[in-house]
Amino acid sequence: MNILILSAGTRDKVVQYFKKELAGRGRVIATDCSNLAPAVYEADAFYLVPRITAPDYLDVILDICKKEKITGVFSLIDPELSLLAKESEKFLAVGTTPIVSDYDIVETCFDKYRMFEMLCKMQIPTAKCYADKESFYRAQEQGEISYPVFVKPVRGSASIHINKVESKKEIEVLCDIYDDLMIQEYMDGQEFGADVYVDMISGKCTDIFVKKKIKMRAGETDKSVSYKDGKLFEIIRKFAEDCGFRGMIDIDIFQIDGTYYISEVNPRFGGGYPHAYGCGVNMPAAVVQNLAGQENEVRIGNYEEGICMMKFNEVMIRDMRGEEIVP
C-alpha cells in the first residue's frame, strides 16, 4: 500500500505519521511545487511538480499515481481538494482512491456564505453572515448586528485578508481594495478546534478530537489543550454524518454563553492535527484501514482531557549544491 501526499509543504509531521503507519507495508510519496518544502524530504520519495494551476498538473499527478502504484492520495492545501474531488473518477481509473469528501460538500466548505446558508438550514448555530455590505448595513440599522464585525473573503484560507473592523468607513475601504468580501458577526467567545474522521466505507463519524485554542498564529493553532464534552461530540457527529463528509475534516467552533457555534469547516487535516495524534487519535491508521477495505470502529472522545500542545520553531538544513532552487 502506497500513499501520495500532495502539496506537503511544511507538514512534516503528517508525512512522518503515515511513514510510521506503513512501516514495512508500503511507501509514502510526497509532492510540492518547491524543492524548499521540508516535508517532502521526510517521504520515501519526492516529486517536484508544477503549480496546481498549470494545465498539465492533473496529468503529472496521475502519472505519479501509476508509476508509484499509489493506493490513496490526499492534499494538505485547500485549492487542491476541489481538484481531487472533481476528478475522482480519473484517480479511481488508475487504481488510486482520493481521500476527500464529495465535490459539492468540498465546494460548500470553501464558500463561507454557502456554508453559512447550509448551517442555518440544518438549524446549527453559526455566526450571522452577510453576502454584501448593503445587506449588512440594513441589518445593522435594524439592530440585528453591531460592530465589531469580521470582513473576509467568501473563499479564502489561512486567515488571509480577514479583518476585524469597527466602522462603516473601514468596510468601505476594504471593499474598494478587495473583491468578493462578506461580513460576518464577530464571535467573542472561547474558540475550539475539532479534528474529525468520517469512515470512507460506512460514512460513520469514528473519531473526534476537540482542543480548546489558547493561542493562534496566522490562522493556525499555536497552543491548545485537549477538551471533552459529550454534547459537543454529538453536534459534530451528527453534522459530519448528515453532510456526508468522508475522511479527515477540521472544524472551527466557538462557545458563547454555553452554546456551541460552528464557524468554518476544512475537509482536510488541520494544522493542529499533531495535538490529536499525540493524544492517541490516529487518523493515518484509520485511512490505512479504509484503504484496505475495512471499516473503522467508532472511538469518539477516546483520549485524555487536559493535554497541552505547544508548537515551536524548527529548521531543516540540506545541501542543495548542484540543484536548481525552486522557491
Side-chain angles (χ1 to χ4, degrees), residues 70-320:
I70 298 298
T71 312
V73 58
F74 65 90
S75 177
L76 294 172
I77 63 170
D78 293 341
E80 199 160 27
L81 299 177
S82 294
L83 177 67
L84 279 179
K86 188 176 183 179
E87 304 294 351
S88 61
E89 292 299 324
K90 292 182 180 178
F91 285 95
L92 292 171
V94 298
T96 302
T97 299
I99 305 159
V100 68
S101 298
D102 288 343
Y103 180 72
D104 284 346
I105 191 62
V106 168
E107 284 292 288
T108 298
C109 289
F110 297 149
D111 186 313
K112 294 176 177 60
Y113 194 77
R114 276 176 59 181
M115 175 57 70
F116 162 72
E117 291 181 314
M118 185 181 78
L119 288 167
C120 289
K121 187 175 181 180
M122 297 175 73
Q123 297 184 319
I124 295 174
T126 189
K128 296 185 184 77
C129 290
Y130 302 88
D132 54 70
K133 60 185 181 181
E134 288 76 18
S135 59
F136 165 73
Y137 293 149
R138 288 193 298 270
Q140 193 261 331
E141 288 169 3
Q142 293 166 10
E144 296 176 9
I145 191 168
S146 59
Y147 293 102
V149 293
F150 279 126
V151 178
K152 57 173 63 176
V154 173
R155 298 176 70 91
S157 60
S159 295
I160 297 171
H161 301 323
I162 293 180
N163 293 274
K164 179 183 174 183
V165 305
E166 304 277 353
S167 67
K168 181 176 180 178
K169 182 178 180 180
E170 292 176 86
I171 292 176
E172 291 294 329
V173 169
L174 289 168
C175 289
D176 283 342
I177 297 173
Y178 305 114
D179 295 324
D180 298 321
L181 295 179
M182 59 177 269
I183 298 168
Q184 185 180 63
E185 178 184 9
Y186 175 66
M187 303 295 282
D188 188 14
Q190 175 62 54
E191 187 172 1
F192 297 88
D195 298 286
V196 181
Y197 190 81
V198 181
D199 195 89
M200 293 191 293
I201 298 172
S202 70
K204 292 180 181 178
C205 181
T206 59
D207 294 272
I208 300 175
F209 174 85
V210 177
K211 53 189 173 286
K212 183 184 291 186
K213 298 183 180 184
I214 299 172
K215 185 177 180 183
M216 300 288 292
R217 178 172 57 174
E220 286 199 2
T221 305
D222 222 21
K223 303 179 193 299
S224 56
V225 59
S226 58
Y227 173 86
K228 299 175 75 167
D229 182 351
K231 176 185 173 182
L232 180 55
F233 289 156
E234 181 57 20
I235 291 169
I236 293 169
R237 183 202 64 77
K238 190 172 188 309
F239 167 71
E241 291 181 359
D242 287 352
C243 288
F245 283 104
R246 293 292 186 274
M248 304 78 65
I249 60 175
D250 171 59
I251 306 175
D252 291 335
I253 301 151
F254 285 88
Q255 185 186 45
I256 302 173
D257 296 330
T259 298
Y260 291 110
Y261 295 77
I262 291 182
S263 174
E264 294 188 11
V265 183
N266 299 302
R268 55 167 170 73
F269 276 115
Y273 172 68
H275 191 177
Y277 186 86
C279 290
V281 182
N282 190 341
M283 293 190 193
V287 169
V288 170
Q289 180 96 336
N290 277 168
L291 292 176
Q294 300 170 13
E295 296 182 13
N296 288 285
E297 296 179 359
V298 175
R299 341 169 248 272
I300 292 172
N302 190 18
Y303 59 90
E304 296 298 321
E305 195 170 25
I307 309 300
C308 289
M309 177 190 75
M310 298 155 276
K311 285 186 180 178
F312 60 96
N313 292 331
E314 185 56 278
V315 298
M316 176 180 286
I317 307 299
R318 187 175 179 86
D319 188 348
M320 304 287 282

Side-chain angles (χ1 to χ4, degrees), residues 13-33:
K13 291 294 185 184
V14 173
V15 178
Q16 291 169 8
Y17 300 156
F18 274 92
K19 279 191 70 176
K20 183 177 180 180
E21 200 59 41
L22 288 175
R25 294 189 291 164
R27 302 168 73 233
V28 176
I29 317 300
T31 73
D32 204 275
C33 63

